[in-house]
Amino acid sequence: MNPIHGVRVMLADDEPHILQFLELGLINEGYEVKTAENGSAALDLARGFRPHVAVLDVMMPEMSGFEVCQSLKETEDNIAVIMLTAKDDVDDRVKGLKLGADDYVVKPFSFNELLARIEARLRNQFPDLLGEVVHGPFQVDDRRKEIRYQGQVLELSPTEYELLKFLVLNHGIVLSKSRILDRVWGYDFGGEDNIVEVYIRSLREKLKDKEHRVIRTLRGVGYRLDLL
């Protein structure tokens, strides 16, 4: 996406090499970034820094990421919290969501995946901070709820819009059906998971993606959107 000025991201992790890697990457993207190496330091930092997004490791000394998340959600206005967890544990995920976390990323992860998650949270919670997001032939305008592909506005239902936006913002990343259901339909969705296939088929028709080169199916794994 285009460089962003004035968007503040706080990183909290007790592994210095991870902090340095993420800090440099986000600064290069135009974010204002500050870091903390434990939970208590993260809370102290947040009071003065007032981040729009907090990226918190679950396992930190002094205070866990869960405790920091809960405190931030109680004291900060409209902060977006992304949890980093070392294992894809459903209990950890549910606990984080109940404490107010907005998203989670499982270690190890790619920088592009975290960047996409941050962009998604900003568009959902701070849309006025961002202009139009451009990824290859896709232009996503969340204020208009509009996506253009190769310069043409796509006629999308609200659910098609949310699904395609999720795929575009996570381009190059394989997304399982369960993750798509959680993000687009909600983690408490009780319907059949073949609804994802139905909507993917509809998007392919609107993108004229007959050969499935834009939205690829990885059998038994999920879907990946590629920028051509």
Side-chain angles (χ1 to χ4, degrees), residues 13-52:
D13 196 303
D14 61 343
E15 298 184 57
H17 67 284
I18 291 180
L19 281 182
Q20 184 179 29
F21 170 72
L22 296 179
E23 181 183 19
L24 289 174
L26 290 173
I27 288 173
N28 286 337
E29 291 292 326
Y31 292 94
E32 184 178 350
V33 183
K34 290 192 177 182
T35 65
E37 293 189 6
N38 62 66
S40 296
L43 277 185
D44 290 340
L45 177 62
R47 293 187 185 100
F49 186 46
R50 303 298 301 274
H52 298 98

Side-chain angles (χ1 to χ4, degrees), residues 41-93:
L43 277 185
D44 290 340
L45 177 62
R47 293 187 185 100
F49 186 46
R50 303 298 301 274
H52 298 98
V53 180
V55 180
L56 309 174
D57 186 33
V58 169
M59 302 300 293
M60 290 189 292
E62 298 191 26
M63 293 181 70
S64 72
F66 293 132
E67 293 172 302
V68 176
C69 173
Q70 184 176 26
S71 182
L72 289 176
K73 286 294 184 175
E74 291 173 350
T75 59
E76 300 294 326
D77 294 331
N78 200 30
I79 187 172
V81 175
I82 299 173
M83 307 297 297
L84 302 180
T85 177
K87 55 184 178 180
D88 195 1
D89 190 308
V90 174
D91 290 339
D92 276 358
R93 177 182 172 193

